[in-house]
PDB file of all heavy atoms in Angstrom:
ATOM      1  N   ASN H  65       2.916  51.109   6.229  1.00  0.00           N
ATOM      2  CA  ASN H  65       2.625  50.708   4.889  1.00  0.00           C
ATOM      3  C   ASN H  65       2.051  51.850   4.022  1.00  0.00           C
ATOM      4  O   ASN H  65       1.231  51.675   3.123  1.00  0.00           O
ATOM      5  CB  ASN H  65       1.642  49.527   4.840  1.00  0.00           C
ATOM      6  CG  ASN H  65       1.612  48.804   3.537  1.00  0.00           C
ATOM      7  OD1 ASN H  65       2.613  48.839   2.801  1.00  0.00           O
ATOM      8  ND2 ASN H  65       0.536  48.083   3.259  1.00  0.00           N
ATOM      9  N   ARG H  66       2.523  53.061   4.302  1.00  0.00           N
ATOM     10  CA  ARG H  66       2.023  54.260   3.634  1.00  0.00           C
ATOM     11  C   ARG H  66       3.085  55.153   3.123  1.00  0.00           C
ATOM     12  O   ARG H  66       3.104  55.629   1.984  1.00  0.00           O
ATOM     13  CB  ARG H  66       1.090  55.064   4.595  1.00  0.00           C
ATOM     14  CG  ARG H  66       0.523  56.322   4.006  1.00  0.00           C
ATOM     15  CD  ARG H  66      -0.407  56.099   2.855  1.00  0.00           C
ATOM     16  NE  ARG H  66      -1.568  55.330   3.265  1.00  0.00           N
ATOM     17  CZ  ARG H  66      -2.537  54.935   2.460  1.00  0.00           C
ATOM     18  NH1 ARG H  66      -2.478  55.288   1.154  1.00  0.00           N
ATOM     19  NH2 ARG H  66      -3.573  54.242   2.891  1.00  0.00           N
ATOM     20  N   ILE H  67       4.143  55.364   3.955  1.00  0.00           N
ATOM     21  CA  ILE H  67       5.263  56.292   3.575  1.00  0.00           C
ATOM     22  C   ILE H  67       6.584  55.497   3.677  1.00  0.00           C
ATOM     23  O   ILE H  67       6.846  54.727   4.571  1.00  0.00           O
ATOM     24  CB  ILE H  67       5.286  57.525   4.549  1.00  0.00           C
ATOM     25  CG1 ILE H  67       4.000  58.282   4.456  1.00  0.00           C
ATOM     26  CG2 ILE H  67       6.460  58.406   4.191  1.00  0.00           C
ATOM     27  CD1 ILE H  67       3.711  58.966   3.157  1.00  0.00           C
ATOM     28  N   GLU H  68       7.449  55.780   2.707  1.00  0.00           N
ATOM     29  CA  GLU H  68       8.811  55.170   2.694  1.00  0.00           C
ATOM     30  C   GLU H  68       9.845  56.347   2.618  1.00  0.00           C
ATOM     31  O   GLU H  68       9.700  57.180   1.713  1.00  0.00           O
ATOM     32  CB  GLU H  68       8.967  54.202   1.569  1.00  0.00           C
ATOM     33  CG  GLU H  68      10.395  53.653   1.391  1.00  0.00           C
ATOM     34  CD  GLU H  68      10.492  52.810   0.127  1.00  0.00           C
ATOM     35  OE1 GLU H  68       9.784  51.791   0.029  1.00  0.00           O
ATOM     36  OE2 GLU H  68      11.294  53.165  -0.793  1.00  0.00           O
ATOM     37  N   VAL H  69      10.820  56.246   3.474  1.00  0.00           N
ATOM     38  CA  VAL H  69      11.957  57.183   3.414  1.00  0.00           C
ATOM     39  C   VAL H  69      13.249  56.317   3.255  1.00  0.00           C
ATOM     40  O   VAL H  69      13.423  55.411   4.011  1.00  0.00           O
ATOM     41  CB  VAL H  69      12.058  58.087   4.680  1.00  0.00           C
ATOM     42  CG1 VAL H  69      13.225  58.987   4.579  1.00  0.00           C
ATOM     43  CG2 VAL H  69      10.738  58.817   4.915  1.00  0.00           C
ATOM     44  N   SER H  70      14.025  56.689   2.235  1.00  0.00           N
ATOM     45  CA  SER H  70      15.211  55.827   1.913  1.00  0.00           C
ATOM     46  C   SER H  70      16.440  56.713   1.712  1.00  0.00           C
ATOM     47  O   SER H  70      16.358  57.884   1.365  1.00  0.00           O
ATOM     48  CB  SER H  70      14.930  54.978   0.692  1.00  0.00           C
ATOM     49  OG  SER H  70      14.737  55.786  -0.454  1.00  0.00           O
ATOM     50  N   PHE H  71      17.594  56.065   1.898  1.00  0.00           N
ATOM     51  CA  PHE H  71      18.884  56.708   1.609  1.00  0.00           C
ATOM     52  C   PHE H  71      19.742  55.693   0.945  1.00  0.00           C
ATOM     53  O   PHE H  71      19.812  54.473   1.333  1.00  0.00           O
ATOM     54  CB  PHE H  71      19.572  57.187   2.888  1.00  0.00           C
ATOM     55  CG  PHE H  71      20.997  57.569   2.665  1.00  0.00           C
ATOM     56  CD1 PHE H  71      21.302  58.817   2.096  1.00  0.00           C
ATOM     57  CD2 PHE H  71      22.022  56.710   2.901  1.00  0.00           C
ATOM     58  CE1 PHE H  71      22.603  59.201   1.878  1.00  0.00           C
ATOM     59  CE2 PHE H  71      23.365  57.094   2.703  1.00  0.00           C
ATOM     60  CZ  PHE H  71      23.637  58.351   2.190  1.00  0.00           C
ATOM     61  N   ALA H  72      20.476  56.103  -0.107  1.00  0.00           N
ATOM     62  CA  ALA H  72      21.459  55.232  -0.859  1.00  0.00           C
ATOM     63  C   ALA H  72      22.681  55.985  -1.131  1.00  0.00           C
ATOM     64  O   ALA H  72      22.644  57.195  -1.497  1.00  0.00           O
ATOM     65  CB  ALA H  72      20.826  54.659  -2.069  1.00  0.00           C
ATOM     66  N   ARG H  73      23.830  55.308  -0.993  1.00  0.00           N
ATOM     67  CA  ARG H  73      25.132  55.879  -1.353  1.00  0.00           C
ATOM     68  C   ARG H  73      25.667  54.981  -2.496  1.00  0.00           C
ATOM     69  O   ARG H  73      25.739  53.760  -2.382  1.00  0.00           O
ATOM     70  CB  ARG H  73      26.069  55.785  -0.152  1.00  0.00           C
ATOM     71  CG  ARG H  73      27.502  56.074  -0.465  1.00  0.00           C
ATOM     72  CD  ARG H  73      27.779  57.558  -0.629  1.00  0.00           C
ATOM     73  NE  ARG H  73      29.190  57.853  -0.702  1.00  0.00           N
ATOM     74  CZ  ARG H  73      29.710  59.083  -0.938  1.00  0.00           C
ATOM     75  NH1 ARG H  73      28.906  60.122  -1.032  1.00  0.00           N
ATOM     76  NH2 ARG H  73      30.972  59.274  -0.981  1.00  0.00           N
ATOM     77  N   GLN H  74      25.953  55.643  -3.619  1.00  0.00           N
ATOM     78  CA  GLN H  74      26.440  54.917  -4.798  1.00  0.00           C
ATOM     79  C   GLN H  74      27.883  55.319  -5.096  1.00  0.00           C
ATOM     80  O   GLN H  74      28.216  56.485  -5.095  1.00  0.00           O
ATOM     81  CB  GLN H  74      25.522  55.201  -6.015  1.00  0.00           C
ATOM     82  CG  GLN H  74      24.141  54.698  -5.939  1.00  0.00           C
ATOM     83  CD  GLN H  74      23.338  54.963  -7.154  1.00  0.00           C
ATOM     84  OE1 GLN H  74      23.699  55.754  -8.010  1.00  0.00           O
ATOM     85  NE2 GLN H  74      22.172  54.357  -7.257  1.00  0.00           N
ATOM     86  N   GLY H  75      28.653  54.354  -5.445  1.00  0.00           N
ATOM     87  CA  GLY H  75      30.036  54.602  -5.910  1.00  0.00           C
ATOM     88  C   GLY H  75      30.269  53.867  -7.215  1.00  0.00           C
ATOM     89  O   GLY H  75      30.177  52.636  -7.298  1.00  0.00           O
ATOM     90  N   PHE H  76      30.522  54.654  -8.296  1.00  0.00           N
ATOM     91  CA  PHE H  76      30.701  54.086  -9.654  1.00  0.00           C
ATOM     92  C   PHE H  76      32.153  54.165 -10.009  1.00  0.00           C
ATOM     93  O   PHE H  76      32.705  55.250 -10.234  1.00  0.00           O
ATOM     94  CB  PHE H  76      29.831  54.909 -10.635  1.00  0.00           C
ATOM     95  CG  PHE H  76      29.741  54.275 -12.005  1.00  0.00           C
ATOM     96  CD1 PHE H  76      29.015  53.134 -12.204  1.00  0.00           C
ATOM     97  CD2 PHE H  76      30.378  54.862 -13.060  1.00  0.00           C
ATOM     98  CE1 PHE H  76      28.896  52.567 -13.483  1.00  0.00           C
ATOM     99  CE2 PHE H  76      30.274  54.348 -14.342  1.00  0.00           C
ATOM    100  CZ  PHE H  76      29.555  53.186 -14.551  1.00  0.00           C
ATOM    101  N   SER H  77      32.790  53.005  -9.992  1.00  0.00           N
ATOM    102  CA  SER H  77      34.264  52.973 -10.194  1.00  0.00           C
ATOM    103  C   SER H  77      34.607  52.797 -11.681  1.00  0.00           C
ATOM    104  O   SER H  77      34.112  51.904 -12.364  1.00  0.00           O
ATOM    105  CB  SER H  77      34.839  51.797  -9.398  1.00  0.00           C
ATOM    106  OG  SER H  77      36.268  51.645  -9.683  1.00  0.00           O
TER     107      SER H  77
END
Side-chain angles (χ1 to χ4, degrees):
N65 198 23
R66 179 64 64 179
I67 301 293
E68 174 185 300
V69 181
S70 62
F71 169 80
R73 171 76 171 177
Q74 295 180 348
F76 190 71
S77 175

